[in-house]
Amino acid sequence: KIVTLIALLGKASSLRQCLYTVNMGNNDFINNYLLPQYYPSSSLYTPDQYAELLIHQYRGQLEVIKLTLFDK
């Protein structure tokens, strides 16, 4: 939604010159893997497999951000 608003305002080109920090997933392993009473992740994946799954998902999310903001 924010990206759409920025694009509508014509600010996307100036965003290419900015430095960004992306903070995502800092509790995903703890909340989704180490709490089996709420999530089945630990019965479906080993710790290494779950870490790889999270990395894959984050990579996809970062790619969407990159394509949305910078590849126009």
Side-chain angles (χ1 to χ4, degrees), residues 11-22:
K11 305 287 185 188
S13 63
S14 61
L15 291 176
R16 291 185 191 117
Q17 300 172 21
C18 297
L19 177 65
Y20 293 90
T21 300
V22 177

Side-chain angles (χ1 to χ4, degrees), residues 25-55 57-58:
N26 46 340
N27 285 323
D28 285 351
F29 200 93
I30 294 169
N31 291 340
N32 298 332
Y33 192 81
L34 299 178
L35 295 175
Q37 65 270 33
Y38 300 112
Y39 301 100
S41 306
S42 61
S43 64
L44 299 173
Y45 306 100
T46 67
D48 287 340
Q49 289 171 328
Y50 194 64
E52 286 297 321
L53 175 68
L54 290 177
I55 290 167
Q57 290 174 341
Y58 300 152

